[in-house]
Structure formats: C-alpha cells, structure tokens
C-alpha cells in the first residue's frame, strides 16, 4: 500500500461545510464574475453567517463594505472563497494563514492537471497551505453546496434554492454527491434533483491539494443528513483509508455508489489531464472496493439509477427478482437480458402459481417473469391483486413492473390501480413505463411522483440497476461474514488477522530483489508450502533428461528454464507428448535450437522434464501486490486460453471458499 497514506486519518471538514463566517476574495460588482456568482448564490440561499468581501477595485458591493486585502480580514474566519487567478493564489493563501483562516475553496486551474510545471505549482501551494494551517478545497474545482444548511460555495450560478427541494410526497433518504470533477458533481446533482430526490450535499474536490474525497466521505458517515453517497472519483489517493471508511459505511447502512473511470489506457490518461489524477491498477481497486460492498458501476446511467433506487430502498432486498409485464414480447426480452447480465429470475412457489392461476386467464402462464396478458383492459383493479400475489412469494425480494403508457384511459387505470399497489408494497419495486420519450399524461406522472416509487422509461436500465444492487447485497453479506471471522474489515486491504496463516508462509524465491522466477524454482517453493506439482526434475543435458523420464514414467513434457524466458511457448521452449527415449533426445536438441533461434546468446538454467498431465480443464491462479490496494488473487481459464478469452476473476485474498464457489 502507498506508504504516504497508510494508517491515515481523515481531515475534519465540518467547519468548512458549515462555515459560520465566509470571506470572498476577489469579490466583484460584476454579477457574471466568479466572485459575483458566489455572492449571488449566498444571497439567494439566505446565508446568515458573517460575510466578508475582499476587493482591490471596490469599496463596497451591494451595500456591503469591502477590504482591500486578506491582511485586513478578521482573524479565524472559517472559510475563504478564492475567486482570483492562479498568479495571486500563493500570496493570498499565505495571507490567510497569517489571519488564521481555517479553510479556503480555490477555483483556479493551472496546477497538476497541466503537467510537470503545474505539479510543481501545486506542490508549492500545498506547502504554503500546510504552513499556514489552511485546508484548501481544490484547486481546479467548482466548490460545494451544502443544501441541508443552504450554503452554496460555488461559482456555478444556482437557481432559487426551492428548485433543489425534494419533491413533495417523494420518500427517500438524502443523497450526498461527492466528485473530483466539478462538472460531474453538477451533473449528478441535477440528475437526482430531476427525480425529486433529496440532496444533502454536492461537493467537488478537484485536484485535492489538501481536502480529499476521504475527508468529505468521513464527514458524511457522521452526518445524520446523509443516507446514500454517490461518488465520482478519478483517483482514490488514500486507498487504505477509503476502504476503512467503506467498511464503516457498510456497517452503519450508508451505501456508497462509485463510478471510477480507468478501465482503458486512454481513460487513465484523460484523468491525469483533468484533475491531475495518477490512476493505478483499476481492476485491483474495483476488486478491493467491492470487497467492502462499495457499489462499483460502469456508466453514468448506472450511477444515477442505482443511487436513486438506494435512496428509496437503502437496504438491499433479501431475495431474487420478479419481473411483471402485460406483454409476451417484453417478457422474452427480459429473459434474454437478465440472462446476459446474470440476474436470476427464480421460479414461483406452487402456492403463488396456484393463486395467480385463479386470477389470470386460462391461456396465461403463472411463472416468473409473468405476462399477465391484456386482463387489465377489462379488469384494471386485478393487476394490483396480481402485484400483491407476486410480492407475497417468499423467494421474491423485489419487483420490476414494465408497462406501456397507452391511451389516456389506460393511463388513468394505471394511476388509480397499479401505482397504489406498488406504493403499498413492503418490498422494493420499480416501475418502468416503456415508450422511450413518448408522452405520459400529467395525472399519471403526478401519481407516480407522489408514490415515491422509483420510475424508469427503460427496462434495460432498471434491470441493470437491480443487478448492481443484487451484487451489492451479496458483497455486503460476504463482508459482514468476514467481519465475524476476525478478518480485517478495513485498514490495510486484504490483511488477515489470522496469526497461524502468517506463521505458515515460506519466503518467495526472489533473492535480493523482484525478478521473474523460473518455473522449476517456483515449483520448489510451492512444494515447500505443501502444494502438489507434477513429478519431474531439471536436466542439464539429454542423458539427465532421459534418466528423469525413466524415473517418473512416460510420456513426458520438456520446458526451457530461464528467468529471461518468461513466455516459453512462443520461443518453441515447450515440447509435449514425448513417449520414449528416442523422441526425448530428438526433442531436447530441437528445443535448444528453437531457443537459440528465438534469442541468440540466451543461456538456459536447464530443461524441466515432467510427467504429462491427463487432458482436462486448465486453470490459472496468480497473485500480485498492488502498491496502493494491496494483494489480489487471480483465478481463471488457463493455458493458451488466458490470452485468447481473458476469462479471469480477481478476488480479495481473504475471500472465503464458499464465496469463491458462489462467484
């Protein structure tokens, strides 16, 4: 793990999220300046703390007196907002330190996101801020908005605060938006506001010179006004701390939904040029994050949809999915899609099926997914009874109902019968009204919004979000079980507390430094751990190879051995199926010639002679210690197929056997 952050503690940020005093440095009478936007937001939101203005060009703005420099500010201001160019930042932060200002929000760009020169400017900023005791949010950020306390500290011109109020009648625990990108924080905020969901805080951390994601995350865990935490991160700079906080979030029931780009090389390069992030091994990070039940998503749609559903149902359902529709075509589409994404649609109990048959027409099939046919046209109230029956099945933990909008009369029926049935459900339910952007009557929309039932126009998005939440539930159960067996829930990822396992380790055959270990050395090491390997030995010449083969039995395989030859097959360094002495001697000479042609001057330690294994499925098992995230284990289809199919799974090293089998 990155030593800089091992055992780190989060920085307190409550004073800057709920400041009792704010100074705007770079205040301006121009309402379209950054300083003007910040002041306008604070006035519109009714900020009632002390507000100080620093301006070189104005003695007063909007009836408020200005001072000419930060040196004229009162001491111990909670937060300064720096709406100034990069060229004046260092002197200003130093001045704030002299006035014992506790924190600052810095919008300016031109730091680590621009390359080496910018990185040096950011380092200098960090040193000045630390020396003065000023916690800096940013640089290269859009600040934050504390909606719970109506404190907007951002240059984005915000509308009247009532625009951000949760929709009347729409239940849901508040969502905190936490992003390194300011634009993404605004994007996420607007997506949730558009669904009428409560937002407690939207915070962008930018380049994170002082205040980082983990600091705000820790605050959110202590904040009773936070229920779900939606995160966009290009780099998690303190992995051990983040995992420890994720473990705590799991234990106290605050889901974390994370979108972290970096699966591709170009995305990693883009992160570096955006917020100065240095993305590490993405697969290792996701493996360890999921180990602590962080809901890791791949797309913005998933981030929006999963967070919205968890806001309504923060505890993942205990049970599988039921899918209901009035369309045979939609039923078949759902079957294929759920199979593609690994979402189980369990069979209904005999009692549930019998109950449904009493309500359905004779030609309908009482199963999951359920096509209730066109029965709702004549008996709209019956659909609510069918919903109740499906949700009463003990194997069903949640439901997705997919229906078309239909004509106005049909929408009235759905508003009066289907929506109330979903609203009274004791299990999580999602309503999908298909038809893409096709019109929906206002009364139907109002009924859905008032119900608080999660609403989608795409069955694909709804099902994909449910799949993520099902995965979240499994991850949470696995992590809870691991907590109960004495394994570490947070801190140094993957570090078990089992002393007996630590005592049974055998030193790796690496010598004084990391290197490629030839196969014969690695197998000796595995043998020392009690792991079986094929019988055989290292031969320096053909005679020795024949002697080994005679001892272990025919047929045999021979493999060239050198730390400088990690990929033997491409060099012709592996020859299989040698059934007798004549074949072995010829193959031994051919192998030597192959290696010489592949790389002139390469010296072999020898040739490994082993008994041929019986035909069967090849498995690859590997491990690596990521410098940031700790050890991860790889299991997958081995042999030549590992490169062709890349069918592998990464696991935390303390994953239980039962959980590996379940995967």
């Amino acid at each position: 793990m990155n030593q800089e952050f091992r055992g780190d503690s989060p920085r307190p940020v409550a004073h800057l999220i709920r400041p009792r005093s704010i100074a705007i440095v770079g205040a301006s009478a121009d309402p379209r300046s950054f300083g003007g936007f910040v002041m306008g937001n604070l006035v519109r939101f009714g900020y009632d703390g002390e507000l100080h203005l620093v301006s070189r060009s104005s003695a007063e703005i909007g009836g408020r007196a200005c001072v000419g420099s930060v040196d004229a500010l009162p001491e111990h201001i909670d937060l300064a907002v720096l709406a100034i160019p990069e060229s004046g930042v260092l002197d200003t932060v130093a001045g704030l330190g002299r006035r014992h200002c506790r924190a600052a929000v810095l919008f300016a760009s031109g730091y680590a996101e621009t390359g080496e020169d910018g990185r040096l400017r950011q380092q200098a900023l960090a040193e000045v801020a630390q020396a003065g005791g000023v916690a800096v949010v940013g640089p290269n950020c859009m600040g934050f908005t504390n909606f719970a306390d109506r404190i907007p500290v951002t240059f984005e011109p915000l509308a009247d605060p009532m625009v951000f109020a949760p929709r009347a009648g729409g239940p849901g625990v508040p969502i905190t938006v936490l992003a390194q990108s300011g634009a993404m924080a605004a994007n996420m905020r607007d997506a949730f506001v558009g669904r009428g969901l409560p937002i407690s805080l939207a915070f962008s951390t930018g380049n994170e010179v002082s205040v980082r994601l983990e600091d705000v995350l820790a605050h959110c865990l202590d904040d009773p006004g936070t229920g779900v935490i939606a995160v966009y991160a290009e780099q998690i700079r303190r992995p051990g701390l983040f995992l420890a906080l994720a473990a705590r979030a799991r234990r106290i029931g605050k889901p974390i939904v994370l979108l972290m780009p970096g699966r591709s090389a170009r995305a990693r390069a883009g992160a570096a040029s955006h917020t100065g992030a240095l993305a590490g091994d993405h697969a290792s990070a996701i493996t360890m994050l999921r180990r602590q039940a962080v809901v890791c998503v791949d797309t913005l749609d998933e981030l929006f949809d999963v967070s919205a559903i968890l806001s309504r149902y923060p505890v993942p359902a205990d049970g599988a999915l039921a899918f209901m529709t009035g369309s045979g075509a939609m039923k078949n589409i759902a079957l294929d899609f759920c199979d593609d994404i690994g979402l189980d649609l369990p069979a209904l109990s005999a009692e549930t099926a019998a109950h449904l048959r009493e309500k359905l027409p004779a030609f309908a099939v009482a199963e999951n997914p359920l096509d209730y046919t066109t029965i709702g046209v004549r008996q709209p109230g019956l659909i609510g009874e069918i919903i109740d029956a499906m949700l009463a099945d003990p194997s069903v933990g949640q439901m997705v109902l997919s229906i078309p909008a239909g004509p106005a009369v049909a929408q009235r029926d759905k508003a009066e019968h289907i929506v109330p049935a979903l609203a009274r459900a004791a299990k999580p339910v999602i309503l999908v009204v298909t038809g893409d952007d096709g019109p929906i009557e206002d009364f139907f929309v109002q009924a859905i919004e008032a119900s608080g039932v999660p609403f989608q126009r795409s069955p694909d998005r709804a099902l994909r979000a449910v799949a993520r939440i099902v995965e979240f539930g499994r991850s949470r159960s696995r992590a809870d079980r691991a907590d109960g067996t004495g394994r570490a829930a947070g801190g140094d990822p993957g570090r078990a507390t089992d002393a007996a396992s630590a005592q049974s380790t055998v030193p790796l055959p690496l010598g004084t430094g990391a290197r490629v270990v030839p196969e014969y050395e690695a197998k000796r090491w595995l043998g020392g751990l009690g792991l079986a390997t094929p019988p055989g030995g290292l031969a320096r010449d053909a005679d020795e190879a024949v002697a080994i083969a005679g001892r272990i039995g025919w047929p045999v395989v021979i493999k060239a051995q050198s730390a400088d030859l990690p990929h033997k097959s491409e060099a012709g360094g592996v020859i299989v199926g040698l059934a007798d002495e004549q074949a072995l001697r010829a193959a031994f000479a051919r192998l030597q010639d192959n290696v010489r042609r592949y790389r002139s001057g390469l010296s072999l330690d020898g040739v490994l002679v082993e008994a041929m294994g019986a035909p069967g499925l090849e498995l690859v098992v590997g491990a690596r210690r990521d410098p940031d995230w700790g050890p991860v284990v790889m299991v997958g289809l081995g042999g030549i197929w590992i490169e062709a199919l890349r069918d592998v799974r990464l696991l935390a090293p303390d994953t239980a056997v039962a959980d590996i089998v379940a995967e």
Side-chain angles (χ1 to χ4, degrees):
M1 181 182 295
N2 188 324
Q3 294 297 316
E4 180 186 356
F5 301 124
R6 174 174 277 172
D8 203 356
S9 298
R11 176 192 295 269
V13 293
H15 62 282
L16 71 89
I17 290 176
R18 298 189 180 98
R20 294 166 298 179
S21 53
I22 297 176
I24 302 176
V25 182
S28 171
D30 180 359
R32 296 190 65 84
S33 66
F34 277 19
F37 283 136
V38 172
M39 184 169 171
N41 287 334
L42 290 167
V43 170
R44 268 192 304 281
F45 275 61
Y47 175 67
D48 59 2
E50 297 177 15
L51 185 57
H52 305 273
L53 306 183
V54 179
S55 174
R56 293 181 177 179
S57 57
S58 301
E60 64 86 25
I61 298 173
R64 298 175 185 269
C66 301
V67 297
S69 74
V70 295
D71 291 316
L73 286 171
E75 290 189 336
H76 304 293
I77 287 175
D78 283 330
L79 181 65
V81 184
L82 307 189
I84 59 176
E86 182 274 325
S87 58
V89 166
L90 280 184
D91 288 343
T92 299
V93 172
L96 291 172
R98 291 191 296 272
R99 304 308 293 164
H100 307 292
C101 179
R102 302 180 70 188
V105 172
L106 176 56
F107 303 137
S109 301
Y111 291 91
E113 79 280 4
T114 64
E116 180 60 19
D117 288 345
R119 188 192 66 77
L120 293 174
R121 284 192 293 273
Q122 185 162 314
Q123 181 178 335
L125 170 62
E127 292 170 355
V128 169
Q130 183 175 4
V134 182
V136 174
V137 179
N140 186 31
C141 77
M142 287 175 61
F144 66 88
T145 300
N146 174 354
F147 290 100
D149 298 301
R150 297 167 70 105
I151 305 175
V153 184
T154 176
F155 64 83
E156 182 188 13
L158 298 177
D160 185 279
M162 292 307 297
V163 172
F164 302 100
R167 190 172 292 136
V173 300
I175 299 174
T176 283
V177 170
L178 181 52
Q180 287 166 333
S181 162
M184 190 55 65
N187 189 3
M188 294 159 64
R189 175 204 66 207
D190 290 348
F192 300 136
V193 168
R195 299 187 187 204
L197 297 170
I199 309 294
S200 57
L201 175 69
F203 199 112
S204 70
T205 58
N207 290 14
E208 301 188 346
V209 71
S210 298
V211 176
R212 296 175 173 175
L213 282 172
E214 297 83 8
D215 304 320
V216 188
L217 177 57
H219 170 84
C220 294
L221 299 186
D222 292 329
D223 177 21
T226 294
V228 175
I229 305 163
V231 181
Y232 173 83
E234 293 176 352
Q235 179 185 7
I236 294 175
R237 290 179 167 87
R238 290 178 283 184
L241 177 57
F242 194 100
L243 289 171
L245 294 170
R248 182 171 173 235
R250 166 176 55 79
R251 289 191 291 265
I252 65 177
K254 292 190 177 185
I256 299 173
V257 187
L258 170 69
L259 174 59
M260 185 167 68
R263 295 192 303 276
S264 68
R266 293 184 68 182
R268 292 190 292 274
S273 64
H274 181 209
T275 59
L278 299 175
D281 187 294
H282 187 272
S284 296
I286 295 300
T287 298
M288 300 308 296
L289 289 161
R290 285 178 173 157
R291 166 69 180 78
Q292 291 300 345
V294 175
V295 190
C296 299
V297 299
D298 291 334
T299 67
L300 269 177
D301 287 349
E302 290 181 351
L303 181 65
F304 299 155
D305 299 340
V306 171
S307 300
I309 295 170
L310 288 174
S311 173
R312 179 65 176 87
Y313 307 109
V315 178
D318 183 15
L321 174 70
F323 186 87
M324 262 185 68
T325 181
S327 162
M330 185 59 68
K331 171 183 174 179
N332 293 331
I333 290 171
L335 281 167
D336 276 348
F337 193 77
C338 287
D339 187 68
D340 288 343
I341 62 176
L343 191 56
D344 185 31
L345 294 168
L348 300 173
S349 69
E351 293 78 7
T352 301
H355 191 191
L356 289 172
R357 280 193 290 270
E358 296 174 359
K359 302 178 182 299
L360 294 168
F363 58 85
V365 181
E367 63 181 1
N368 182 28
L370 176 68
D371 169 19
Y372 58 77
T373 72
T374 58
I375 192 172
V377 175
R378 294 181 59 83
Q379 297 175 278
L382 194 56
I383 306 303
E385 297 178 22
I386 294 172
I387 291 171
D388 292 341
M390 288 283 282
L391 287 171
D393 190 289
S395 69
V396 171
Q398 55 201 314
M399 173 185 286
V400 172
L401 173 64
S402 179
I403 56 176
V409 63
Q411 293 188 43
R412 179 69 66 182
D413 289 340
K414 291 163 185 171
E416 294 178 352
H417 298 286
I418 289 179
V419 172
L422 295 175
R424 67 174 176 259
K427 298 177 181 179
V429 291
I430 302 170
L431 174 62
V432 178
V433 178
T434 56
D436 201 18
D437 289 331
I440 303 178
E441 298 290 340
D442 288 344
F443 64 80
F444 191 16
V445 173
Q446 291 166 6
I448 295 169
E449 290 178 349
S451 74
V453 172
F455 171 56
Q456 289 276 4
R457 297 301 305 266
S458 162
D460 294 2
R461 285 181 61 166
L463 290 170
R464 201 176 289 280
V466 169
R468 291 296 190 191
I469 293 171
V470 168
E471 178 185 292
F472 166 51
R474 291 172 180 161
S475 297
R476 198 177 77 149
S477 296
R478 287 194 294 266
D480 288 345
R481 287 196 300 271
D483 280 359
T485 59
R487 295 186 185 275
D492 194 354
R495 178 181 291 174
T497 59
D498 187 344
S501 66
Q503 292 171 0
S504 65
T505 59
V506 176
L508 281 166
L510 296 178
T512 57
R515 63 183 179 90
V516 173
V517 179
E519 182 180 352
Y520 73 96
E521 285 189 38
K523 285 181 171 175
R524 287 176 187 167
W525 176 71
L526 292 171
L529 294 174
L531 298 175
T533 59
L538 187 69
R540 270 72 177 185
D541 55 37
D543 290 340
E544 194 173 0
V546 170
I548 294 170
R551 184 177 72 249
I552 63 177
W554 306 90
V556 297
V557 56
I558 60 174
K559 293 178 273 188
Q561 299 295 295
S562 171
D564 295 325
L565 192 64
H567 301 291
K568 298 181 286 291
S569 295
E570 63 191 41
V574 179
I575 302 177
V576 302
L578 305 174
D580 53 38
E581 178 179 345
Q582 181 179 357
L584 174 55
R585 290 185 179 278
F588 197 97
R590 187 164 76 252
L591 181 145
Q592 303 284 343
D593 290 340
N594 290 344
V595 171
R596 278 193 291 270
R597 283 195 299 269
Y598 177 75
R599 187 183 302 170
S600 177
L602 191 151
S603 177
L604 296 180
D605 297 350
V607 174
L608 182 60
V609 182
E610 288 185 329
M612 280 286 294
L617 185 66
E618 293 187 73
L619 183 71
V620 61
V621 179
R624 68 183 296 265
R625 181 179 293 276
D626 184 273
D628 292 321
W629 294 94
V632 292
V633 176
M634 176 189 70
V635 181
L637 193 61
I640 62 172
W641 301 111
I642 185 173
E643 296 293 340
L645 300 181
R646 300 186 182 275
D647 184 13
V648 297
R649 181 68 60 90
L650 295 183
L651 302 167
D654 60 349
T655 305
V657 172
D659 293 331
I660 295 173
V661 172
E663 285 287 315

